[in-house]
Structures are given as C-alpha cells and as structure tokens.
Amino acid sequence: MRHNEDILRNASLFSSQQGFTLLEILVAFAVLGIAIIYTVQLFSSNLHTISISGDYISATIAAESKMSGILDNDKLVEKSWSEASAEGYQMDITITETLKEKTENLSGKIMEIDLTMWWPPGTRKKSITLRTLKFV
C-alpha cells in the first residue's frame, strides 16, 4: 500500500506542475525575433560600411598614383585640367604658383598641386582631395 501512496503522491506532483502559457511562448518568440532582426541589420550595415571604405581606399590609391606622376615632373607650370581614369574616376587637377612674396628672392618657385577625385558618375558623388607643394 505504501508503494501505491508514493506513486499517487509523485503523480500529483507532476500534475501540479504547469508548462509555459501560450502568451509566454509568444512573448519569447517576439523577443527572439527582434534580436535576430537587429543582428541581421547590424551585419548589413557593417557590410555597407566596409564597401564604402573599400571605395575610398581604391580612390585614394588611384589619386596618390596620379599625384606621384605629377610630382615626378620637374618642370611644373600653372595649369588646370580634368581627366577620367580607366577605373571610372573623374579627376580635376590644378597646379598654381603659391607664396610668391616669400619665394621672389629664391631661384625657384613653390607650386601647389590640388587633385580632386570624384566617383561614381552618379547622382551622389563621393570625392577626395589631395594637396601638396613642390619647389621647382
């Protein structure tokens, strides 16, 4: 008999325990869904930022390459021009003499090189500008 009483007591313990209610399950799924959506948006935003960063790095490398080519010229003269690169960048380049009053007693002059690179050829253009001086 004692054995049957123990079984009945254990059975009553199990029957008195309740599971989760439907409302608790729905709230848990809602919180989980919000967390997943936030995480996916965060990754998407990071990928977009990495893409933009890559564009700026590529443009900067192309601009530095063009600037090096200009600086290799020892006979710089004042002029301004625009050109397009093979990669699709638009460049505006201006070479002007600067600090004339400080170099009038010197044998050379100081030239300012201003290179602005634009990309892409769409409505929201991005740009970088490199400026340097060269004594010629």
Side-chain angles (χ1 to χ4, degrees):
M1 223 5 133
R2 178 143 170 88
H3 179 66
N4 287 342
E5 288 176 10
D6 288 339
I7 291 175
L8 287 176
R9 191 173 341 117
N10 287 338
S12 69
L13 285 176
F14 287 120
S15 66
S16 68
Q17 291 181 348
Q18 296 181 2
F20 293 109
T21 65
L22 181 59
L23 182 61
E24 291 171 328
I25 292 172
L26 289 175
V27 168
F29 276 125
V31 169
L32 181 64
I34 290 170
I36 289 172
I37 289 171
Y38 178 74
T39 304
V40 168
Q41 286 178 345
L42 186 63
F43 282 127
S44 173
S45 175
N46 286 342
L47 289 175
H48 180 69
T49 302
I50 289 170
S51 173
I52 290 171
S53 175
D55 291 345
Y56 274 97
I57 289 170
S58 297
T60 302
I61 290 170
E64 286 178 344
S65 174
K66 182 64 179 176
M67 183 67 82
S68 291
I70 294 169
L71 290 172
D72 285 342
N73 184 357
D74 289 332
K75 307 265 189 233
L76 291 178
V77 293
E78 287 189 286
K79 64 179 177 177
S80 182
W81 73 97
S82 293
E83 63 183 64
S85 71
E87 297 89 11
Y89 299 113
Q90 178 68 34
M91 291 178 270
D92 298 328
I93 304 155
T94 305
I95 301 173
T96 55
E97 186 176 352
T98 188
L99 302 173
K100 291 179 185 180
E101 66 280 350
K102 294 187 179 190
T103 59
E104 60 188 27
N105 295 332
L106 298 175
S107 62
K109 53 188 173 182
I110 297 177
M111 304 301 283
E112 179 181 8
I113 300 105
D114 185 11
L115 186 148
T116 301
M117 182 158 305
W118 306 88
W119 78 97
T123 56
R124 287 190 52 164
K125 289 186 177 182
K126 299 174 187 89
S127 69
I128 59 165
T129 300
L130 301 180
R131 285 190 185 99
T132 192
L133 300 174
K134 181 175 182 177
F135 184 77
V136 291

